[in-house]
Amino acid sequence: YGTQANLPSKYVSRQKLCLHATTEYWVNDAQGLPVLMVMGELTEKLTQVIEQQIIPQLQQTVLLKQNEEQQNTSIEKEKEEQEQDIPSCTLIFDREAYEPKFFQRLWDKYHIAVITYRKNVKDLWDTKDFLTNKVVVLEQTITMQLCEKEITLEGIPFREVRKLNENGHQTSILTNNKHIDM
């Protein structure tokens, strides 16, 4: 903000003014508590903000380990191989950053897993494949019809979990985190 800010302006109808067009990107921990906030231009893509701003800031904290080349003993290497598919963290976001190659780049470069909605789902899974599961949401136990399958998008393996709604709609969630519960 101020005279040094070189941001585009947009008309904000509730204030009847042209104001700086910015977006706030909030990063929360597993309990939903805020960890950091990054402000960017309205036109910035979420993928760019994640790689250029959020990950570097997380790496400066203890929340995300940097991938440093180190000399390991054989015991450390063996332990590392066992933990190789355990993510350093998991990012959860909406479809704005949906890009399977981006998800693979996050995994390869930073060992970060993702959870997001799957875009452009056209096929329907057989309703017989869905099983009733008890799920705790906000300290309440509810039942959901869920189904999980391994899929490949653009040559990249993912887990896809779908929830069957009462009206027959299937909500699709995509992840590359192999250890998180359905």
Side-chain angles (χ1 to χ4, degrees), residues 27 35-36 38 48-69 88-89 91 105-112:
V27 179
V35 174
L36 65 98
V38 174
Q48 292 172 330
V49 172
I50 288 171
E51 283 191 287
Q52 296 170 7
Q53 296 183 51
I54 293 174
I55 290 174
Q57 286 190 38
L58 289 175
Q59 286 177 328
Q60 292 175 2
T61 69
V62 295
L63 298 173
L64 185 62
K65 301 175 198 168
Q66 292 192 34
N67 293 337
E68 297 175 359
E69 296 296 323
S88 56
C89 74
L91 296 179
R105 189 168 64 247
L106 285 178
W107 181 259
D108 292 342
K109 195 170 181 182
Y110 307 104
H111 227 59
I112 294 176

Side-chain angles (χ1 to χ4, degrees), residues 12 44 53 58 61 63 66 97 101 110 130-131 137 148-149 152 166:
V12 179
E44 279 186 291
Q53 296 183 51
L58 289 175
T61 69
L63 298 173
Q66 292 192 34
K101 290 183 180 176
Y110 307 104
F130 289 83
L131 301 174
V137 178
E148 178 180 355
K149 294 185 180 180
T152 302
E166 292 174 9

Side-chain angles (χ1 to χ4, degrees), residues 1 8 16 18 28-29 38-39 49 65-66 72 76 87 110 112 114 124 137 159 164 179:
Y1 293 103
K16 298 182 177 152
C18 278
N28 300 323
D29 65 11
V38 174
M39 186 174 285
V49 172
K65 301 175 198 168
Q66 292 192 34
N72 293 331
E76 289 173 336
Y110 307 104
I112 294 176
V114 298
L124 291 178
V137 178
R159 290 172 58 201
L164 180 63
H179 296 280

Side-chain angles (χ1 to χ4, degrees), residues 28-140:
N28 300 323
D29 65 11
Q31 285 77 40
L33 299 173
V35 174
L36 65 98
M37 187 271 297
V38 174
M39 186 174 285
E41 289 185 33
L42 187 63
T43 56
E44 279 186 291
K45 292 180 108 183
L46 182 57
T47 55
Q48 292 172 330
V49 172
I50 288 171
E51 283 191 287
Q52 296 170 7
Q53 296 183 51
I54 293 174
I55 290 174
Q57 286 190 38
L58 289 175
Q59 286 177 328
Q60 292 175 2
T61 69
V62 295
L63 298 173
L64 185 62
K65 301 175 198 168
Q66 292 192 34
N67 293 337
E68 297 175 359
E69 296 296 323
Q70 297 176 346
Q71 296 292 331
N72 293 331
T73 64
S74 59
I75 296 171
E76 289 173 336
K77 283 184 181 180
E78 188 176 314
K79 183 180 177 187
E80 206 172 275
E81 287 172 6
Q82 291 172 350
E83 295 177 355
Q84 195 170 21
D85 65 343
I86 298 173
S88 56
C89 74
T90 300
L91 296 179
I92 303 170
F93 45 82
D94 64 10
R95 289 178 282 241
E96 182 184 349
Y98 183 89
E99 192 179 315
K101 290 183 180 176
F102 169 65
F103 303 156
Q104 186 65 39
R105 189 168 64 247
L106 285 178
W107 181 259
D108 292 342
K109 195 170 181 182
Y110 307 104
H111 227 59
I112 294 176
V114 298
I115 298 175
T116 187
Y117 289 102
R118 181 175 174 197
K119 258 183 158 178
N120 303 321
V121 178
K122 301 206 185 328
D123 66 319
L124 291 178
W125 291 355
D126 191 345
T127 55
K128 296 175 192 169
D129 294 340
F130 289 83
L131 301 174
T132 302
N133 292 275
K134 291 187 180 195
V135 180
V136 178
V137 178
L138 299 174
E139 299 178 5
Q140 293 183 356

